Amino acid sequence: MTMENFIILEYYESKGHWHFNPVINRRPKKEPDTNGWESIAFTEEEKASIFTYMMDCKLHRREAMKQPPYTAEYIRKEWKLFCYMFNRIIKSYKVTPGMKELVDKNFNDVEALARLGHGGFADEKEDKELSWAWEYNPLDFIDSNF
């Protein structure tokens, strides 16, 4: 494993914001855990992006309900739960060409994030009149899984 695209994922608890602190030659570009930022994980940038998009959906919902952002401790717990899911899929799920084709055909990450309540994609949800992600037919394979 090369050390390309590695970062320290940092979280600003009082604002519920993320920061990707690049790691170059095994050294973070900026000193971790300073100026209100708290380290969540030393990880790959793409993995952190998936996690932060998912968590932003939850953070935006909390913001809309006038609740404070999650604590850094809670974010670390969510990170470890996410890592379990992420690693378990890699370890045990056999991705076939047919499955990849099914996902390529049916999964739209922008629409999924919009339907999950990510504030950065609210226009997409409104423009396309998308339903909420939890409003689906649980007996329909495509609707249940995408």
Side-chain angles (χ1 to χ4, degrees):
M1 178 185 302
T2 64
M3 295 300 284
E4 295 176 27
N5 297 316
F6 276 74
I7 57 118
I8 296 175
L9 175 61
E10 297 179 315
Y11 178 70
Y12 202 104
E13 184 175 308
S14 65
K15 296 181 181 180
H17 291 172
W18 307 104
H19 173 68
F20 288 18
N21 186 356
V23 175
I24 303 163
N25 295 324
R26 299 188 183 265
R27 296 192 189 285
K29 186 173 181 180
K30 296 183 179 180
E31 185 66 29
D33 301 314
T34 57
N35 302 317
W37 294 101
E38 294 189 53
S39 296
I40 301 302
F42 174 46
T43 190
E44 297 168 289
E45 186 173 346
E46 185 64 29
K47 186 175 179 180
S49 292
I50 296 167
F51 175 73
T52 57
Y53 275 135
M54 178 188 78
M55 287 306 298
D56 278 342
C57 294
K58 292 179 163 193
L59 284 163
H60 292 154
R61 190 167 307 124
R62 284 183 70 82
E63 183 180 7
M65 295 180 345
K66 308 278 191 248
Q67 294 177 337
Y70 292 114
T71 64
E73 179 183 11
Y74 180 85
I75 294 294
R76 286 187 192 101
K77 289 176 184 177
E78 287 289 312
W79 171 256
K80 293 308 282 186
L81 181 60
F82 169 79
C83 286
Y84 166 79
M85 179 191 67
F86 188 90
N87 294 323
R88 180 76 175 132
I89 290 168
I90 290 171
K91 182 178 177 181
S92 64
Y93 217 82
K94 313 277 186 283
V95 178
T96 64
M99 184 183 297
K100 176 114 173 74
E101 183 181 330
L102 180 70
V103 171
D104 286 344
K105 179 181 174 187
N106 293 289
F107 178 69
N108 179 317
D109 55 338
V110 171
E111 285 186 11
L113 287 167
R115 294 182 67 214
L116 286 165
H118 190 292
F121 300 95
D123 288 346
E124 179 83 6
K125 184 177 182 319
E126 187 177 313
D127 292 348
K128 291 187 176 179
E129 298 179 0
L130 300 172
S131 62
W132 290 112
W134 47 90
E135 296 173 352
Y136 65 94
N137 179 354
L139 301 177
D140 180 287
F141 180 81
I142 298 298
D143 209 18
S144 290
N145 290 279
F146 300 96

